[in-house]
Amino acid sequence: MTDYWEIRTQRLLMRRWRASDRAPFAAMNADPEVMRYFPAALDRADSDQLIDRIEERFESQGFGLWALEILDSGEFIGFTGLNPMPADVPGSGDQEIGWRLARRAWHKGYATEAARAALDVGLNQLGLPVMWSMTAVINLPSQAVMQRLGMVPHRLFDHPRIAMGSALRPHVVYRIGQPATP
């Protein structure tokens, strides 16, 4: 099995996770502004469990959500990568491209740069026919990244794991490529 444990872009290193990533990742996941489009911020234990799940996925499939590091400084700034779409949402079972960056890394093009590299892995190297990305309808910054990647809106839906009445429940899923027809 080919693994994609490290990818370099012009400005970023997308890599496997290190123990030294845990504290800055937990701080990022506790930041209410970073987590404003998620149901809740994560505490340290939940943040560490997320890294553990990500690393298990790397071990089982050879790719996943890469830790992002700025090449020039070695600074950890978040993650971007591929993850299975959850059950009960459009695109379920296919791969999603996702990202989460620390506030200090916003508005610098890092999410788009890393997501393009992740799309290349999915579409061109793994040969996936379609890739998805989803977010809350109110998350316009992430939708802008999806559009810069050439993704198109596929469908609106209510996310089944977000409480009824929450402003985060209405979601939009974008895609690039063609899903298999049932």
Side-chain angles (χ1 to χ4, degrees), residues 51 70 150:
I51 290 175
I70 298 174

Side-chain angles (χ1 to χ4, degrees), residues 3-8 13-16 18 58 66:
D3 68 59
Y4 300 93
W5 290 3
E6 187 175 287
I7 297 167
R8 290 177 187 268
L13 174 62
M14 300 164 62
R15 58 165 173 77
R16 294 283 299 267
R18 300 176 183 149
F58 270 104
W66 292 277

Side-chain angles (χ1 to χ4, degrees), residues 11 20 73 141 148 173 177:
R11 301 177 297 161
S20 61
S73 67
R148 283 193 292 275
V173 64

